[in-house]
Amino acid sequence: MRVYVPLTLSGLAEAHKTGELGAEPFLAYAVTPALREWYLSDDIEELEYAALSRAALASLRLLARDPGAPRRRVVVAADVPDNAAAADPDRGLDPAVLGEVRVAGPVPLTRAAAVHVDADDAEADVTAAAEALGAADAGDDDAQFVVDGAEDHELLWYATQEIPHLVGLDG
């Protein structure tokens, strides 16, 4: 199963240092039955993009809690055995947790297929979105508009060999 693990650049640096994603267990996003039902699509690429987008929002939430982290969303796509990730059936179609899975980590970083990171030009919008997230969650439409501004930026794809460059360890 492909899972999308939300991180920050600081979290990615830690994963690079330890060689592992997450502690046991940790949250990630995947194409779950509830996500399939919600999006009413059989196109696996669309569904994977939806799971990636959910993970990008979770990365934004991590940034909102860590003001010292560089203001770029990070999502690691990793392949885990199907039995290593499970959705909570009691939370099913709750829109707040669509695609959410609990991974029985840690997952070796060698299982990562790719890393998705905001471009430098997204930092201002991501910073504003992280600051507005609490108000958006409380129902403020203007704040939600700001959060949506971050979602207008596509995450860039990086090979796992580029992680040292992304976290500033390439000398």
Side-chain angles (χ1 to χ4, degrees):
M1 169 184 280
R2 169 81 34 107
V3 296
Y4 297 90
V5 182
L7 294 173
T8 62
L9 281 173
S10 306
L12 183 62
E14 181 65 20
H16 178 69
K17 185 174 98 178
T18 65
E20 295 179 334
L21 288 169
E24 192 172 335
F26 64 92
L27 290 179
Y29 293 80
V31 177
T32 62
L35 188 75
R36 283 181 188 276
E37 188 174 331
W38 182 265
Y39 280 90
L40 300 172
S41 176
D42 289 329
D43 184 332
I44 191 64
E45 287 184 15
E46 278 184 36
L47 292 165
E48 286 182 347
Y49 183 78
L52 171 67
S53 297
R54 305 293 294 182
L57 179 58
S59 175
L60 184 64
R61 291 187 183 289
L62 294 173
L63 290 172
R65 290 193 300 263
D66 184 1
R71 306 328 260 173
R72 293 167 71 188
R73 298 168 299 163
V74 177
V75 176
V76 176
D79 295 314
V80 300
D82 287 344
N83 64 353
D88 183 345
D90 294 332
R91 296 179 78 182
L93 292 178
D94 177 354
V97 296
L98 281 174
E100 189 178 275
V101 293
R102 187 162 299 279
V103 179
V107 173
L109 193 55
T110 57
R111 304 291 309 248
V115 180
H116 304 269
V117 181
D118 275 311
D120 290 340
D121 67 355
E123 285 187 30
D125 287 337
V126 170
T127 298
E131 291 170 359
L133 195 56
D137 287 346
D140 182 321
D141 290 339
D142 291 335
Q144 186 61 53
F145 182 78
V146 173
V147 170
D148 292 344
E151 293 175 8
D152 289 342
H153 293 275
E154 294 288 329
L155 298 179
L156 302 179
W157 181 95
Y158 293 91
T160 57
Q161 298 87 336
E162 296 177 271
I163 291 173
H165 167 72
L166 290 169
V167 299
L169 298 175
D170 59 352

